[in-house]
Amino acid sequence: MWRWLLAAAGVVGTVMGGVADPRPDPSLYNIGVGIHDVTGPAAGVNMMGYANPAQVNSGIHMRLFSRAFILDDTQRRVVFVSVDCGMMASILKIKVMERLAAEYGELYRHQNVILSGTHTHSGPAGYLQFLLFEITSLGFIKDTLDAMVEGIFQSIKQAHESMVPGYLYLSSGQLLNTSINRSPTGYLNNPEEERNKYQHNTDKTMTLLRLVAQDGTHLGMVNWYAVHPTSMNNTNTLVSGDNKGYASQLFEEAMNPGALPGQGKFVAAFAQANCGDVSPNIQGPKCIDTGLPCDLATSTCDGRVKNCIAFGPGKDMVESTRIIGTNQFQKAWELYHDPAAVKVSGPVQFAQQFIDMSNYTVHFEGGATGKTCVPALGYSFAAGTIDGPGAFDFTQGTTEGNPFWNMVGGLLHTPSQDQVDCHAPKPILLDTGEINVPYAWHPRIIDTQVGRVGQLIILPVPGEFTTMCGRRFRDQVSETLSAEGVEGTVPVIAGLSNVYTHYVTTWEEYQVQRYEAASTIYGPHTCSAYMQQYSYLATAMLQGETPPPGPSPPDLSDSMITMLPGVVYDGAPPGSTFGDVVAQPYPLAYTGETVTAKFVSGHPRNDVQLGGSFLTVERQNETGHWQVVATDASWQTRFIWDRVSSLLGTSVASVKWDIPADTPDGTYRITHSGHHKTLFRGVFPYHGVSHPFKVVTAPAEEGNKVEREVDVSSSQSWWSKMFGA
Ligand SMILES: *[C@@H]1O[C@H](CO)[C@@H](O)[C@H](O)[C@H]1NC(C)=O
Ligand SMILES: *[C@@H]1O[C@H](CO)[C@@H](O)[C@H](O)[C@H]1NC(C)=O
Ligand SMILES: *[C@@H]1O[C@H](CO)[C@@H](O)[C@H](O)[C@H]1NC(C)=O
Ligand SMILES: *[C@@H]1O[C@H](CO)[C@@H](O)[C@H](O)[C@H]1NC(C)=O
């Protein structure tokens, strides 16, 4: 009906940037939002981000979600998806596009679908197809990729099916006390007159889009703010959306009262921007052995990176996550209710092109040119950052314990002279671009893309731009748009989109070769190359032209190698069965305390329980029914899995619940669901339920938080004897 009305009125319209906008009300859009779980294997898999081989997951703190937004002006639509994951990956986008094509034909294409990662460092790895990204995960991990493809697809489907007419509003504001620059000496190498234009050495602006239906229903929110989700450090082994995941949970909880995480209608995404050199660990780095400041230029203590670590504002990483997440939530909440928000108006447009980033020519003012390089990583890459020092294990001088690295380590390549010259002054540690055995180590064909909804210009970039590179890039695109007659645009960088290529620094930052510069894999002119390419796309977009598609990125599905062994079998100790409770919760708990229940368990990898939960906390209501009040996605719960004996295949799942202060008094219980694997007959579901226990509001003077756990099950004594659990 609505579409028909608009079509009938089609001749009335405005012309913006060369493309006719035929709508009578250029601020009325079709809007859809969707959310779906994307959590892959919850245990036994390396986490993506710190490249720390020892960081193998063992449970869930918060589930990971894909949040999708479809914005349509009746002629064209763009899809923006923010996913709680380390970064977007080309194979992931390829597989999501295949699913979308099978369901919707030509409606959703590489051109108008933007997939962006939040950059949490606490999600399962193994879903990127280029070899370098698979070293610490022992190769490709299909269960991770499958869960993400399915979850992203389902979130877009939900957005597609929920589309209604509505309005969009933009606001922005400064959020301080939430981020610091972690490579200040790199930043300082940028020209002084350029630095003088800015008050801070990281971008403090949060830009927020509010989505409201025509009938006034609140639909969703997405904001872009530059900060690494590295509040959880490289010792964490529980799956987590980190500070941005928590901020989303807070916002969605406030807008969907009573709904469990991921199950409400209102969707709130805290998306990533130019976070390259931006740390959430705002107390800054110090030497953990001496407490003294680290050497500023090299981030070392006594010549070594290992002990130079930055800490957040909290007493531990969980509290830091809570604070940095809450800060982002509060600023977003304020901006969401900003009475001065600008109503978005104008056409939906986009342009996209695949380019060969290893061979891109940059044309500078005055006629000089520069070239990008075939990918390579510099020495400082191996040093890691103050958020997680010492990236790959080979820098520690040992390759033991990683069969995948042993296999590929012998293939290391000596760079050609051209390659050395191209990357100078970066000393090449890993000449990834010149090795293609057993398959490509780094991408060369890069997805570049621009999306527009009225004043909002979304710039999905394939990696982590530093603060200053991001500023130059946004300014350049704005100038290009102005030159085409489109003023007053609001450009946002959507970081870690579509394909991952590490970092992008300015040419000046590149000269001092901090971690981010050593990880700028296409060489010193990478930032300039993207400025030129995205300006080209912006012009094409406004002129209504479709750029040539460019070379297709490879699909390495058939080449990728997996060396992570699967689950062999699970065993329950004699006399017990899967789901049996081996430690019951204490029968009485005060709010503010933590209750624990432990269960005989199977390996979580047997089934990722996509869209489900390994646990519930349930409350008995007036009619005696049990109602779920928390799942494994909830901030207040933790699902912790331990393999007790690899030989016997026995394992224990611990469920912990931090009882929130506002929990109503009553009778509660804890459940655990999972799957166990038999040697010959396959995988079977099981379910376990604890004894009920009472929760009582803590007396006002009772400030002490206690964790109670009492083993009362009959199987407890032999369990302890056999396994010491
Ligand atoms: C910054 O955050 C810390 C930790 O949350 C807090 O103690 C401090 O008061 C804040 N400072 C400002 C200026 O807001
Ligand atoms: C990680 O955080 C914990 C506190 O939660 C701290 O004890 C530990 O030193 C940190 N480790 C690293 C490597 O940052
Ligand atoms: C690099 O691009 C140029 C055109 O810009 C082309 O002539 C040349 O063959 C390309 N080189 C490689 C190695 O692809
Ligand atoms: C109790 O829970 C059951 C099952 O979820 C539900 O159908 C019923 O309406 C609830 N009753 C009350 C009083 O909340």
Side-chain angles (χ1 to χ4, degrees):
M1 170 70 172
W2 182 72
R3 277 170 175 282
W4 175 83
L5 277 177
L6 287 182
V11 279
V12 199
T14 50
V15 174
M16 291 190 73
V19 172
D21 187 347
R23 300 171 298 158
D25 178 356
S27 65
L28 189 58
Y29 298 91
N30 272 323
I31 303 171
V33 304
I35 182 168
H36 199 278
D37 181 23
V38 291
T39 314
V45 171
N46 187 237
M47 283 176 155
M48 192 65 208
Y50 293 110
N52 174 6
Q55 194 189 13
V56 172
N57 67 4
S58 66
I60 296 178
H61 183 200
M62 292 181 270
R63 263 182 195 266
L64 309 174
F65 292 98
S66 171
R67 295 177 170 88
F69 304 86
I70 302 178
L71 308 168
D72 176 308
D73 71 356
T74 73
Q75 311 293 306
R76 284 169 298 268
R77 58 179 60 184
V78 291
V79 185
F80 179 77
V81 188
S82 174
V83 186
D84 291 326
C85 66
M87 59 284 290
M88 202 33 65
S90 60
I91 188 68
L92 184 50
K93 188 168 182 191
I94 289 171
K95 296 295 172 198
V96 169
M97 297 323 298
E98 286 173 6
R99 286 295 303 277
L100 288 170
E103 185 95 6
Y104 302 108
E106 286 285 288
L107 190 56
Y108 301 112
R109 288 153 288 143
H110 273 283
Q111 285 83 346
N112 64 343
V113 175
I114 301 165
L115 306 182
S116 172
T118 62
H119 204 32
T120 173
H121 281 43
S122 294
Y127 64 95
L128 292 90
Q129 63 177 346
F130 296 97
L131 187 135
L132 188 98
F133 306 126
E134 300 177 337
I135 289 175
T136 50
S137 63
L138 305 180
F140 170 62
I141 299 178
K142 191 170 182 301
D143 355 354
T144 310
L145 181 69
D146 288 351
M148 295 175 82
V149 171
E150 181 65 22
I152 294 171
F153 169 75
Q154 290 297 341
S155 69
I156 296 173
K157 185 166 196 266
Q158 208 184 89
H160 177 91
E161 287 167 1
S162 72
M163 288 179 80
V164 289
Y167 299 104
L168 306 168
Y169 300 86
L170 273 173
S171 45
S172 64
Q174 301 268 302
L175 172 57
L176 305 178
N177 210 18
T178 299
S179 61
I180 59 165
N181 192 306
R182 68 182 190 189
S183 283
T185 53
Y187 181 89
L188 279 175
N189 216 42
N190 292 308
E192 190 177 356
E193 77 261 23
E194 182 180 34
R195 284 185 281 115
N196 286 344
K197 290 195 290 183
Y198 304 97
Q199 195 185 347
H200 301 284
N201 64 0
T202 68
D203 282 342
K204 306 292 186 189
T205 303
M206 177 183 281
T207 304
L208 183 139
L209 184 71
R210 168 158 51 109
L211 297 79
V212 186
Q214 201 174 18
D215 68 6
T217 309
H218 295 269
L219 299 176
M221 177 284 293
V222 46
N223 72 68
W224 290 267
Y225 184 76
V227 67
H228 259 73
T230 47
S231 293
M232 297 302 289
N233 69 33
N234 66 12
T235 66
N236 170 48
T237 60
L238 298 184
V239 170
S240 168
D242 207 283
N243 54 55
K244 286 189 182 282
Y246 180 54
S248 284
Q249 189 166 129
L250 286 175
F251 210 113
E252 286 165 358
E253 217 168 69
M255 297 301 286
N256 302 310
L260 293 163
Q263 295 179 23
K265 282 209 152 97
F266 186 95
V267 179
F270 286 72
Q272 192 53 273
N274 48 329
C275 68
D277 49 358
V278 188
S279 168
N281 293 312
I282 56 175
Q283 285 181 6
K286 62 169 195 243
C287 299
I288 53 170
D289 47 349
T290 59
L292 296 171
C294 311
D295 178 67
L296 201 59
T298 60
S299 290
T300 53
C301 303
D302 217 3
R304 302 178 63 195
V305 290
K306 191 168 72 96
N307 288 332
C308 175
I309 296 176
F311 289 86
K315 67 177 189 308
D316 58 29
M317 57 182 163
V318 175
E319 203 192 40
S320 295
T321 303
R322 190 177 59 70
I323 294 169
I324 298 296
T326 303
N327 289 355
Q328 290 175 77
F329 160 70
Q330 285 172 342
K331 178 52 70 176
W333 188 258
E334 183 191 314
L335 293 174
Y336 190 86
H337 298 95
D338 178 7
V342 172
K343 196 170 189 182
V344 176
S345 174
V348 169
Q349 294 176 289
F350 49 82
Q352 185 266 359
Q353 188 176 47
F354 292 109
I355 55 169
D356 180 355
M357 242 338 249
S358 65
N359 182 25
Y360 190 94
T361 304
V362 187
H363 300 277
F364 297 107
E365 264 175 56
T369 61
K371 294 257 313 187
T372 56
C373 318
V374 172
L377 287 159
Y379 273 81
S380 308
F381 160 75
T385 72
I386 57 170
D387 290 333
F392 281 86
D393 60 344
F394 56 81
T395 63
Q396 321 291 321
T398 166
T399 58
E400 272 168 50
N402 188 332
F404 197 79
W405 181 250
N406 288 347
M407 178 193 75
V408 298
L411 306 170
L412 277 184
H413 190 264
T414 311
S416 62
Q417 192 56 45
D418 280 354
Q419 176 75 331
V420 170
D421 295 344
C422 190
H423 283 274
K426 176 205 285 172
I428 295 176
L429 171 70
L430 290 173
D431 188 22
T432 51
E434 294 188 315
I435 338 174
N436 282 302
V437 277
Y439 46 96
W441 284 43
H442 260 153
R444 289 189 184 203
I445 308 304
I446 299 310
D447 196 333
T448 62
Q449 188 181 26
V450 175
R452 172 185 182 199
V453 182
Q455 298 92 319
L456 177 67
I457 308 294
I458 306 176
L459 303 169
V461 298
E464 307 177 52
F465 282 29
T466 60
T467 302
M468 198 61 102
C469 169
R471 287 168 176 169
R472 289 182 192 176
F473 176 78
R474 276 195 310 257
D475 287 354
Q476 166 92 42
V477 173
S478 292
E479 276 170 33
T480 304
L481 295 168
S482 298
E484 292 292 324
V486 179
E487 306 280 354
T489 54
V490 179
V492 294
I493 292 174
L496 301 119
S497 288
N498 300 332
V499 47
Y500 185 61
T501 65
H502 300 257
Y503 288 78
V504 183
T505 66
T506 64
W507 184 88
E508 292 84 351
E509 289 160 358
Y510 190 91
Q511 304 309 307
V512 291
Q513 284 295 307
R514 297 265 310 170
Y515 171 82
E516 295 81 10
S519 307
T520 297
I521 60 175
Y522 303 107
H525 301 302
T526 309
C527 186
S528 305
Y530 285 130
M531 288 165 66
Q532 178 176 313
Q533 173 65 13
Y534 282 68
S535 294
Y536 159 70
L537 290 178
T539 306
M541 175 180 84
L542 291 188
Q543 295 180 350
E545 286 166 10
T546 307
S552 291
D555 178 340
L556 303 177
S557 301
D558 295 335
S559 322
M560 288 187 287
I561 294 172
T562 301
M563 292 181 106
L564 181 73
V567 179
V568 182
Y569 65 95
D570 292 296
S576 74
T577 181
F578 295 99
D580 280 1
V581 182
V582 292
Q584 292 286 357
Y586 197 78
L588 176 73
Y590 284 123
T591 54
E593 295 182 343
T594 299
V595 275
T596 303
K598 296 187 180 183
F599 300 85
V600 176
S601 159
H603 200 303
R605 269 192 84 186
N606 293 328
D607 187 316
V608 302
Q609 315 243 76
L610 193 67
S613 179
F614 286 99
L615 67 90
T616 60
V617 178
E618 302 179 357
R619 178 172 193 270
Q620 196 169 31
N621 73 8
E622 287 72 5
T623 54
H625 293 90
W626 291 97
Q627 289 185 305
V628 178
V629 300
T631 66
D632 63 7
S634 308
W635 171 261
Q636 306 91 295
T637 64
R638 272 152 293 151
F639 165 65
I640 302 164
W641 183 82
D642 286 304
R643 184 59 102 191
V644 178
S645 159
S646 306
L647 192 64
L648 302 174
T650 46
S651 55
V652 182
S654 305
V655 175
K656 289 179 181 283
W657 180 41
D658 300 329
I659 310 171
D662 59 356
T663 304
D665 288 7
T667 304
Y668 290 79
R669 68 180 187 183
I670 287 172
T671 77
H672 163 54
S673 302
H675 289 74
H676 68 92
K677 186 171 184 182
T678 60
L679 259 184
F680 304 111
R681 288 176 301 119
V683 166
F684 297 93
Y686 67 84
H687 183 66
V689 182
S690 79
H691 290 160
F693 56 94
K694 295 248 183 274
V695 171
V696 174
T697 305
E701 65 275 22
E702 171 105 41
N704 291 336
K705 193 173 148 183
V706 187
E707 184 172 322
R708 291 189 217 243
E709 171 190 312
V710 177
D711 293 350
V712 295
S713 98
S714 55
S715 54
Q716 185 263 327
S717 53
W718 62 259
W719 180 280
S720 307
K721 262 185 239 143
M722 276 184 81
F723 307 120

